[in-house]
Amino acid sequence: MRKAAKIALAAVGAPVLLLLLCFVNHQIRLAQEDGLFTPLGTMVEVDGHQMSVYTQGAGAQALVFLSGSGTSSPILDFKALYSLLSGDYTIAVPERFGYGFSDVAGLPRDLDTVLEQTRAALEKAGLAPPYVLCPHSMSGLEALYWAQQYPEEVRAIIGLDMSVPAAYDGMAISAPLLRLLQFGGAVGLTRFIPGLSDSAAIQSGALSREEEAVCRAVFYRRTMTGDMVNEALCAKENAGRVARGGAPDVPILMFCSDGSGGTGFSKEDWRAVQSAFANSAPSADILYLDCGHYVHDCEPQRLAAEINNFLNG
């Protein structure tokens, strides 16, 4: 009996001890990285919390980049593309709560709340509509809803492999799995997975060595935050709301990937969903790319040229 009890105690105690050591290491490393976690843009107050908005350039037209689900550092994630456009346009990257340098706020993640927070942040950062919205992945829902609710504020939508409502029809979203991933990020297990912090932005080669260090520091603070998890859990409901509003009557340019690197779809299924939406929209063009989901990091030169053609056409 004593031997069995010791074995049971060891079986329970060893993982707990390892998690504790992992958490302590994580806290030490976070303290060491504090100097890197300095906002790159302007911090504005929205709903009682601090929200980050990065701006660059001084063009008459503002391009608003909206990040996909779970992209820890939106400002640096989009740099490969917006650095090629900032000479002709004003670039804006609002970071939703739970992302980048914005607070983890614990506020509702329904589309109305998220959209009003983004609009308020842009206004407080001194940016006035109409905007050209450039959503990646899940933020396609926010961009489409924006055009449905405030068509006068949206000049056009440029979808960077953006999600459309039908993409969520058969998607299974596991709350336990998301909470487990949240726990892993909170205790620092992410630090022991080789290459996990090497985001598409880092792999693009567009970041300096210092920016790569900042990107990793943000990653370890903003991996599966509570806001990201709640946002994912609201995705199907949000998609249904956008679907009921139909495709908005604004010019849309869609860049469509091969489905790899984060969509969860095969190439054929992803392109079928994207093309079906483009065909249903009053004014939409779609370009197919032979690259992964983070199209703005994979083919920034081509995207920049096509965006210029689209907006000047």
Side-chain angles (χ1 to χ4, degrees):
M1 291 290 291
R2 289 199 194 95
K3 185 175 181 180
K6 289 180 179 179
I7 292 173
L9 182 62
V12 173
V16 172
L17 179 60
L18 286 174
L19 285 174
L20 179 60
L21 292 173
C22 179
F23 178 72
V24 170
N25 172 71
H26 185 47
Q27 296 305 306
I28 292 172
R29 298 288 295 277
L30 288 176
Q32 293 171 343
E33 294 161 358
D34 270 347
L36 295 170
F37 196 69
T38 301
L40 297 175
T42 302
M43 301 301 293
V44 297
E45 184 175 332
V46 177
D47 288 349
H49 298 272
Q50 292 297 302
M51 195 166 173
S52 162
V53 182
Y54 175 81
T55 59
Q56 181 179 318
Q61 179 62 66
L63 308 187
V64 178
F65 288 81
L66 304 170
S67 73
S69 175
T71 300
S72 58
S73 182
I75 292 172
L76 294 175
D77 176 61
F78 287 120
K79 185 186 176 184
L81 178 56
Y82 68 61
S83 62
L84 301 175
L85 297 166
S86 60
D88 298 310
Y89 308 96
T90 293
I91 304 301
V93 187
E95 296 186 309
R96 298 191 299 279
F97 287 127
Y99 289 75
F101 299 99
S102 293
D103 289 348
V104 179
L107 299 174
R109 297 292 82 195
D110 60 279
L111 269 180
D112 286 297
T113 300
V114 171
L115 174 56
E116 294 310 315
Q117 289 170 348
T118 302
R119 294 177 68 239
L122 291 173
E123 180 182 356
K124 290 189 175 185
L127 294 160
Y131 309 116
V132 172
L133 304 179
C134 304
H136 174 238
S137 196
M138 191 177 73
S139 65
L141 298 178
E142 181 181 358
L144 294 171
Y145 192 63
W146 198 332
Q148 291 171 350
Q149 300 299 306
Y150 303 100
E152 73 282 357
E153 293 186 4
V154 180
R155 180 187 170 198
I157 295 175
I158 298 172
L160 306 175
D161 213 32
M162 71 176 186
S163 290
V164 296
Y168 296 90
D169 286 349
M171 185 177 292
I173 299 175
S174 170
L177 177 59
L178 290 173
R179 297 299 181 193
L180 181 61
L181 294 173
Q182 181 184 4
F183 174 77
V187 300
L189 288 173
T190 49
R191 293 186 182 273
F192 297 94
I193 303 176
L196 188 62
S197 64
D198 291 340
S199 65
I202 291 176
Q203 295 174 40
S204 74
L207 305 184
S208 67
R209 293 289 292 275
E210 181 179 351
E211 287 170 334
E212 289 182 1
V214 171
C215 198
R216 290 189 173 95
V218 175
F219 172 82
Y220 290 122
R221 283 168 165 77
R222 297 292 185 265
T223 296
M224 293 309 293
T225 63
D227 291 338
M228 290 178 180
V229 170
N230 292 334
E231 190 178 67
L233 294 175
C234 288
K236 288 179 75 71
E237 181 180 343
N238 287 339
R241 178 169 294 188
V242 176
R244 289 190 291 273
D249 190 8
V250 298
I252 301 175
L253 174 62
M254 298 173 63
F255 294 103
C256 180
S257 76
D258 61 14
S260 65
T263 69
F265 286 77
S266 67
K267 177 178 179 179
E268 293 74 18
D269 290 344
W270 182 246
R271 290 190 171 182
V273 168
Q274 297 274 303
S275 62
F277 177 84
N279 290 334
S280 73
S283 178
D285 293 322
I286 186 166
L287 296 176
Y288 299 102
L289 306 173
D290 292 320
C291 68
H293 187 43
Y294 281 76
V295 293
H296 47 284
D297 287 315
C298 296
E299 294 202 32
Q301 297 282 350
R302 180 179 177 186
L303 266 63
E306 296 288 358
I307 289 170
N308 276 318
N309 289 338
F310 173 67
L311 294 179
N312 294 320

